[in-house]
Amino acid sequence: MYEIRFHGRGGQGAVMAAQALAEAAVLEGYYAQAFPYFGAERRGAPVRAFARIDESKISIKSQVYEPDALVILDESILEIDPISEGLKPDGKAIINTVKKPEEVDLGIEVECGTVDATTIALETIKAPIVNTSILGAFARVVDIVPLESILNAIMNRFGEKLGHQSGVMNAEAARIAYHNTVVGRCKGTRTIVRKKVWLPAWDEIPIGNTLSAREIDGIAVGPGSMAQNLTGTWRTQTPRYSKEKCIRCLRCWFSCPEGCIERQEDDYERWDYRYCKGCGICAEVCPADAIEMVRGVYEW
Amino acid sequence: MVTKEIKTIKDLPRDDYLTRGHGACPGCGVAIAVKNIARVLGKDTIVYVPASCLIVFSALYPASAFKWPFFYTAFENTGAVISGIKAALKRRGKEVTVVGMAGDGGTFDIGLQALSGAAERNEDVVYVCLDNEAYMNTGIQRSGATPFGAWTTTSPIGKKVQGKREFKKDIDAIVAAHNIPYMATLSIAHPNDFVRKVQKAKSESGFRFLHVLCPCVPGWRSEASKSVAIARLAVETGMWILYEVDHGVEKLTYKPKTLVPVREYLQLQGRFRHMSEEDVEKLQTWICERWKHQFYEEVPVPPCKIEEAKKALIIDEDPLHGP
Amino acid sequence: MVMKVISADHAVAHGARLARVEVVPAFPITPQTLIVELIAEFINDGELDADFLPVESEHSAMSAAIGACAGGARAFTATSSQGLALMHEMLYAAPQNRLPVVMVNVNRSLGAASGIWVEYNDSMPERESGWLQVYIEDNQEALDMVIQAYRIAEDRGVMLPMMVCLDGFVLSHTVERVDFPDQQLVDSFLPKFKPLYVLDPDEPVTMNPITPPEYAMEMRYQLHQAVDESKLVIEKVDREYGALTGRAYGGLIDTYQMEDAEIALIALGTVTSTARVVVDHLRSKGKKVGLVKLRFLRPFPSDELRSIAKNLKALGVFDRSVSFNGFGPVFTETRNALYHLGIPLTNHVAGIGGRDVTFEEVREMFSVIEENAKGHRVKECHWHGLRGGS
């Protein structure tokens, strides 16, 4: 059995990628399954999906803990999630990045394919949805489902859901990615740090499903504790603020969904970039052009 | 307790009761609305949130984005649970605002009965409807609040039928018919009007209803950066009417110079992209009829030239409305 | 000591008054209406300092009761049958949040082919909800158990909601003599409600956020333990109440003529009363028969039943509801508890849809149990009073 774990962000199409891969495997005569991990997070938050491929009927229904391959749709998740955890020593990794394999540190040295799937997606399907490009890269790195089947599966799934033309464009994205993928070995120097989680035994949980604001095992819980989620890792573009141009209308402060714009005593603004998701509303509502959105992740 | 009355955005306190780090999608209209309502209501508030996007992005054990006392139980019972909480707090002699924050499904549809019950009993609570015009939490299904023509996963673009065939339910008229002390519609694109209405609701007693239009990036198929711009266009096109009913007195709180053609609003959102000329015309007519019928105002309505409409946007009286 | 001749519904209302309930959200349904009408009268006459919330449905009644309890008030409501079914969703919110709401359910048949008459198919399916459930035999017990219910539910070691179930019409509209404990006595027995957590801006809490799989399972187990551990509190509270008022009910279980009994019937609700008379009659004929009055369905007294039943030659179980193609819920629970004892068991379904359960029918139950004890072949499940035979 060959097991694959997908890591992406809500909205990037990790689930669709897993499903298309399973379909491609079925077209090749294999048995396959694909399923998401249903978290409660919204668009932009890290998500996982899983796929299994085997020569006989697959009956296991639990999640994949020791994958043969990792498919990483968003490189930035490497910084916030121990995503290579459980990857087999002879496993493989496919990563959406502009870097070469040897420049990527997964915390485990394995065979690795890198591709700038974001650019391919933007140029081909005109949206930063990288799920189909990354499958092309998968076909290049993992020798289990040939490109042709992947393209057919993409045509089937995307063509059916979004129309024939969309299927053609998505298949094209996968084809380009297949050819642009650089295969090598990644670095394994990073130590995999598990995110701190509070997993109490049944008699340690405060009874009543109720929590007051405090720390338990170094984790903030209860009222206001979501402040420990640094949602700034979600952004792909960053607002740059010009105090000189600011007319102190407070519109950006009012309009920021994150509340990460801080209204100063003098009504000028300051950004808490640890939380900025890069939505761009502040720049859009500013009547004085004092805020511009810059592609990339910065902290000014 | 002395609190300064909040008349404009400048008076709005800096304290946040919806913290950073919540899990809403980038550009979420609900987050903008809730954060600012919380700034006006201030510390002495208890919030009840029924099943909705808001519960999912603001309260996931063991964490919460609300600094307020928070409670959740089910989908359809906001009106009832906040009635019970308020009764208990009154008995304990606590001066507290009890606010329920429900989505459009939890208000227009499954929660309508409990809402009507609480309004009829004139419970001393604030009920906020965060209206993003579909069941977004479950993956964009149509609700009674979904506008005519809109795509949702249960009003799909089929070969035979395209989008929702019914017009948006007039929940405000239904709520106002309960003769409650105060009800108002709010827009995140009109901050001064927004904070003044929340302040008014806070200072009243009895049942208060605030209805906020909350653009939804995935559900409306729009760009994250455009959420406020879309909310503003909703008002300028007459898709969303800013008014209040204060002790039975109905008043338009923002009057566009002339209504912008609805097409301007529709074209920013993928959920309307498929709409036929005929359907756009139907929606436009609905807007004009509703506008005239509800307010008997002599505001010019489309069809009018796009250029004139754009001018109307620019000569806005409210200095906070950028073009 | 005040004494009145009143219905069980009115006894319940007086129990709520004596327990000084603070918030009463309610919606009318036959045969529960007498309860909420009298409470509304108490409040409007100034005899009870409470808020009556005349909500628009039972779903809202339970929602508001839960909200009031979360806000720190002693909450009471009452319902029946379809009303309880409408509350079903909300019932599950109270136990996990440890909100000790007390509710009286006047048992009435649920569903199609329904009427307004007693059957336990409304409350018994709710035994999975985490609510404690007691079944009442007479009007005095109805009043006493509302008071006891708050003491049990609000005990720091319990903190669970409790349902007091009483037979529609056979109790709810039947008048009997009921003695009233003094208010002072009740106040000494039942202290002011101290919630575990309370919604209060001065000490904010997050109550019942969405709970992912990493936590929900442990929380369920916690609840599982809490229901089990409530047994000790139930026994203790009953003894204490008995010492104060002279009326104790045996806690989880009561027995009649069981010391030397060779065969016995487990009954609950008003049929227990009729069964007592049948036991007396059979004893007068020299038969060693006994009666077990099951009071609580949750927590289910498995250990207690085992020790009572261990020397019996046969045991029958009365049920006033059925699981179609299965047995009555009380029988299923009992067989589970007694499985390893190997005692011959029979299920006796009667009184379905509110059909009257007669002396003759209960005697028939004992005849079957006696046959079973002798080792004769009998059917496991009998429907008594069924035309055409079962």
Side-chain angles (χ1 to χ4, degrees):
Chain A
M1 180 148 38
Y2 201 81
E3 298 182 306
I4 307 107
R5 197 168 66 205
F6 292 76
H7 295 266
R9 291 185 183 275
Q12 285 181 328
V15 178
M16 277 285 268
Q19 290 174 349
L21 178 59
E23 183 160 342
V26 170
L27 293 176
E28 279 297 303
Y30 289 108
Y31 288 85
Q33 62 172 207
F35 56 99
Y37 174 77
F38 279 104
E41 301 283 2
R42 312 277 90 177
R43 173 175 282 222
V47 295
R48 289 173 178 215
F50 311 93
R52 285 192 175 92
I53 299 170
D54 203 357
E55 280 163 3
S56 52
K57 191 167 163 31
I58 299 163
S59 107
I60 190 163
K61 290 284 187 291
S62 67
Q63 293 169 28
V64 171
Y65 296 97
E66 293 182 353
D68 297 282
L70 279 182
V71 180
I72 301 160
L73 283 76
D74 191 315
E75 185 189 8
S76 68
I77 302 172
L78 279 171
E79 305 304 324
I80 53 170
D81 213 4
I83 59 184
S84 59
E85 202 172 46
L87 179 64
K88 287 180 183 157
D90 60 347
K92 295 178 179 183
I94 297 93
I95 309 172
N96 169 24
T97 175
V98 293
K99 293 176 188 156
K100 294 193 178 74
E102 57 271 25
E103 294 166 349
V104 176
D105 189 348
L106 269 186
I108 171 170
E109 196 206 310
V110 289
E111 190 180 333
C112 177
T114 61
V115 66
D116 181 6
T118 305
T119 302
I120 294 169
L122 283 172
E123 285 172 0
T124 320
I125 58 173
K126 316 290 177 214
I129 302 172
V130 298
N131 52 3
T132 43
S133 327
I134 203 84
L135 284 181
F138 181 87
R140 179 75 178 277
V141 178
V142 179
D143 194 14
I144 186 163
V145 185
L147 181 65
E148 279 316 304
S149 289
I150 296 247
L151 299 182
N152 287 337
I154 289 172
M155 282 300 297
N156 288 353
R157 295 198 83 75
F158 290 79
E160 224 166 72
K161 200 176 170 189
L162 307 167
H164 179 76
Q165 189 51 32
S166 174
V168 171
M169 289 191 310
N170 275 287
E172 181 58 16
R175 192 193 310 275
I176 296 170
Y178 178 87
H179 292 293
N180 289 7
T181 301
V182 182
V183 183
R185 286 187 82 77
C186 69
K187 283 189 289 193
T189 54
R190 175 204 298 265
T191 32
I192 299 171
V193 186
R194 264 203 80 89
K195 208 174 133 189
K196 244 187 194 176
V197 277
W198 172 57
L199 292 173
W202 69 268
D203 54 350
E204 293 166 347
I205 297 184
I207 68 170
N209 204 6
T210 298
L211 292 166
S212 52
R214 67 202 141 105
E215 272 200 11
I216 306 181
D217 294 351
I219 310 285
V221 301
S225 57
M226 275 195 177
Q228 72 198 323
N229 298 346
L230 302 181
T231 51
T233 59
W234 299 18
R235 76 175 176 277
T236 54
Q237 53 173 357
T238 309
R240 180 153 52 191
Y241 169 67
S242 159
K243 193 175 172 181
E244 293 70 41
K245 289 187 187 169
C246 178
I247 57 168
R248 297 188 280 177
C249 71
L250 302 177
R251 237 192 131 79
C252 58
W253 172 66
F254 181 90
S255 305
C256 173
E258 311 312 322
C260 68
I261 301 175
E262 288 170 0
R263 176 184 174 185
Q264 306 297 294
E265 278 308 313
D266 55 9
D267 282 349
Y268 284 109
E269 312 303 329
R270 194 172 67 198
W271 267 252
D272 186 345
Y273 288 108
R274 293 176 302 162
Y275 299 97
C276 174
K277 293 173 187 163
C279 70
I281 289 178
C282 51
E284 180 78 22
V285 298
C286 179
D289 284 335
I291 305 161
E292 88 177 290
M293 295 305 292
V294 182
R295 203 181 151 185
V297 182
Y298 304 97
E299 294 204 6
W300 285 297
Chain B
M1 191 178 60
V2 185
T3 47
K4 198 176 145 202
E5 202 186 334
I6 297 160
K7 287 180 181 155
T8 73
I9 184 175
K10 296 266 178 195
D11 305 324
L12 199 55
R14 290 167 172 78
D15 305 329
D16 274 322
Y17 293 91
L18 181 76
T19 63
R20 299 160 200 178
H22 61 70
C25 305
C28 176
V30 169
I32 299 172
V34 172
K35 184 194 67 176
N36 287 299
I37 290 169
R39 284 170 178 166
V40 181
L41 295 183
K43 175 186 161 281
D44 290 323
T45 306
I46 292 169
V47 65
Y48 176 78
V49 181
S52 57
C53 273
L54 177 57
I55 169 81
V56 173
F57 79 66
S58 74
L60 182 66
Y61 195 90
S64 171
F66 280 108
K67 288 186 185 167
W68 286 333
F70 167 96
F71 193 33
Y72 152 76
T73 61
F75 201 167
E76 66 278 56
N77 59 3
T78 306
V81 177
I82 56 181
S83 301
I85 296 172
K86 184 66 190 187
L89 278 131
K90 265 198 177 148
R91 297 198 66 81
R92 285 168 47 213
K94 286 259 178 184
E95 292 258 336
V96 173
T97 303
V98 177
V99 61
M101 291 187 168
D104 49 288
T107 302
F108 286 60
D109 299 344
I110 194 170
L112 183 60
Q113 179 174 308
L115 163 64
S116 174
E120 182 270 325
R121 296 190 305 273
N122 196 27
E123 299 284 355
D124 188 15
V125 293
V126 179
Y127 189 113
V128 176
C129 173
L130 302 157
D131 183 359
N132 54 21
E133 301 194 322
Y135 293 88
M136 299 311 184
N137 190 35
T138 44
I140 321 166
Q141 292 82 27
R142 62 90 84 188
S143 77
T146 306
F148 174 82
W151 162 89
T152 68
T153 57
T154 51
S155 58
I157 313 309
K159 291 190 181 85
K160 226 174 121 184
V161 182
Q162 287 95 40
K164 192 189 177 199
R165 302 321 295 166
E166 303 79 25
F167 291 92
K168 185 176 179 115
K169 186 194 281 189
D170 192 352
I171 192 76
D172 305 313
I174 294 169
V175 173
H178 289 76
N179 295 319
I180 55 169
Y182 187 70
M183 72 131 300
T185 59
L186 283 67
S187 166
I188 54 170
H190 291 69
N192 288 344
D193 185 65
F194 186 105
V195 299
R196 187 187 60 78
K197 284 170 174 168
V198 182
Q199 167 70 37
K200 208 160 182 181
K202 182 188 177 185
S203 54
E204 281 291 340
S205 56
F207 195 81
R208 295 144 279 166
F209 183 77
L210 299 174
H211 186 191
V212 198
L213 183 69
C214 300
C216 169
V217 175
W220 294 14
R221 298 276 186 259
S222 56
E223 280 177 42
S225 63
K226 299 282 186 204
S227 293
V228 174
I230 289 170
R232 184 181 307 125
L233 263 176
V235 174
E236 297 299 338
T237 54
M239 277 292 273
W240 188 254
I241 302 174
L242 285 176
Y243 75 110
E244 65 186 5
V245 184
D246 188 350
H247 293 88
V249 181
E250 189 169 305
K251 189 181 142 201
L252 204 62
T253 60
Y254 173 75
K255 190 164 76 176
K257 288 279 177 294
T258 171
L259 288 192
V260 172
V262 71
R263 192 178 299 281
E264 295 282 291
Y265 175 69
L266 304 181
Q267 69 191 15
L268 288 175
Q269 304 169 55
R271 63 174 172 157
F272 297 117
R273 198 160 291 149
H274 60 279
M275 272 176 84
S276 65
E277 286 295 320
E278 195 190 342
D279 274 359
V280 173
E281 202 49 51
K282 261 189 198 168
L283 187 58
Q284 186 64 68
T285 308
W286 177 79
I287 291 173
C288 297
E289 291 298 314
R290 180 166 170 253
W291 183 263
K292 284 183 189 163
H293 178 74
Q294 190 155 4
F295 296 104
Y296 309 98
E297 295 275 355
E298 291 302 315
V299 173
V301 294
C304 59
K305 291 195 180 107
I306 304 279
E307 285 316 304
E308 285 172 32
K310 279 184 179 157
K311 258 186 258 161
L313 273 177
I314 293 162
I315 52 168
D316 195 330
E317 282 171 353
D318 187 339
L320 288 170
H321 295 146
Chain C
M1 172 91 71
V2 181
M3 176 270 286
K4 280 188 177 178
V5 179
I6 53 173
S7 67
D9 271 6
H10 281 181
V12 159
H14 282 285
R17 175 180 59 77
L18 289 163
R20 295 188 190 276
V21 298
E22 297 178 279
V23 179
V24 184
F27 187 82
I29 179 169
T30 304
Q32 153 265 30
T33 36
L34 304 182
I35 300 174
V36 291
E37 285 169 359
L38 189 56
I39 289 179
E41 274 181 40
F42 288 152
I43 293 171
N44 282 8
D45 287 341
E47 289 173 35
L48 172 63
D49 177 21
D51 288 302
F52 188 74
L53 300 183
V55 289
E56 81 300 328
S57 75
E58 285 92 350
H59 192 283
S60 282
M62 185 45 64
S63 294
I66 285 168
C69 199
R74 183 170 283 163
F76 177 83
T77 189
T79 191
S80 182
S81 178
Q82 320 285 126
L84 184 66
L86 187 55
M87 282 179 183
H88 172 77
E89 180 196 21
M90 293 319 298
L91 291 182
Y92 282 68
Q96 197 77 66
N97 286 297
R98 309 305 279 270
L99 299 171
V101 175
V102 169
M103 170 165 68
V104 169
N105 180 59
V106 184
N107 285 108
R108 164 182 151 179
S109 68
L110 172 69
S114 71
I116 51 173
W117 301 280
V118 56
E119 188 176 339
Y120 296 156
N121 67 344
D122 57 350
S123 59
M124 287 203 171
E126 303 298 356
R127 69 190 190 277
E128 322 295 13
S129 65
W131 282 64
L132 308 183
Q133 278 194 1
V134 65
Y135 287 79
I136 299 297
E137 186 184 346
D138 60 36
N139 296 3
Q140 183 68 56
E141 192 181 3
L143 181 145
D144 290 334
M145 281 316 290
V146 170
I147 297 166
Q148 279 203 29
Y150 279 105
R151 192 46 210 285
I152 295 163
E154 294 172 5
D155 188 285
R156 298 303 271 191
V158 178
M159 279 295 180
L160 291 169
M162 183 158 160
M163 201 183 291
V164 177
C165 300
L166 56 94
D167 292 12
F169 294 103
V170 188
L171 276 186
S172 67
H173 286 60
T174 301
V175 296
E176 288 180 338
R177 172 189 163 140
V178 176
D179 292 337
F180 286 29
D182 293 337
Q183 182 68 62
Q184 218 182 342
L185 194 81
V186 176
D187 289 345
S188 70
F189 173 76
L190 182 63
K192 262 185 86 72
F193 172 41
K194 284 198 198 72
L196 272 182
Y197 307 98
V198 66
L199 297 170
D200 184 343
D202 292 327
E203 288 168 74
V205 290
T206 301
M207 197 179 279
N208 199 38
I210 296 286
T211 306
E214 289 81 3
Y215 302 97
M217 188 163 169
E218 280 70 22
M219 287 180 185
R220 292 280 193 280
Y221 188 76
Q222 211 171 54
L223 187 55
H224 175 65
Q225 290 290 311
V227 174
D228 201 46
E229 284 164 14
S230 69
K231 285 181 180 181
L232 292 173
V233 176
I234 289 166
E235 301 281 359
K236 184 189 82 182
V237 167
D238 188 56
R239 278 196 303 272
E240 215 176 292
Y241 192 80
L244 273 177
T245 63
R247 291 186 300 274
Y249 294 92
L252 295 160
I253 216 165
D254 193 19
T255 56
Y256 184 65
Q257 300 282 20
M258 284 298 291
E259 294 74 21
D260 61 342
E262 290 174 351
I263 64 167
L265 176 73
I266 296 178
L268 74 171
T270 51
V271 167
T272 318
S273 298
T274 309
R276 276 178 218 277
V277 185
V278 175
V279 167
D280 287 346
H281 171 78
L282 295 172
R283 282 269 170 184
S284 75
K285 307 213 160 198
K287 294 186 189 284
K288 290 192 170 173
V289 298
L291 174 69
V292 178
K293 174 186 173 184
L294 182 73
R295 300 190 68 238
F296 280 80
L297 187 66
R298 280 291 179 275
F300 192 77
S302 302
D303 296 335
E304 294 76 3
L305 267 181
R306 271 194 288 272
S307 77
I308 289 167
K310 62 178 186 290
N311 297 320
L312 291 173
K313 290 181 178 162
L315 176 65
V317 182
F318 160 70
D319 261 301
R320 202 161 201 159
S321 68
V322 284
S323 177
F324 302 106
N325 187 43
F327 296 90
V330 182
F331 178 78
T332 306
E333 298 277 349
T334 304
R335 181 143 76 174
N336 233 357
L338 303 186
Y339 181 73
H340 295 288
L341 296 182
I343 299 166
L345 293 177
T346 43
N347 193 189
H348 303 275
V349 175
I352 296 300
R355 178 85 47 95
D356 193 34
V357 181
T358 63
F359 178 92
E360 279 309 319
E361 278 171 24
V362 179
R363 192 162 69 170
E364 189 182 283
M365 293 176 196
F366 275 103
S367 305
V368 174
I369 301 164
E370 198 177 357
E371 288 296 297
N372 203 19
K374 286 177 187 161
H376 296 160
R377 248 180 94 89
V378 293
K379 282 201 317 184
E380 266 189 318
C381 182
H382 293 254
W383 285 48
H384 298 271
L386 178 76
R387 290 187 299 277
S390 63

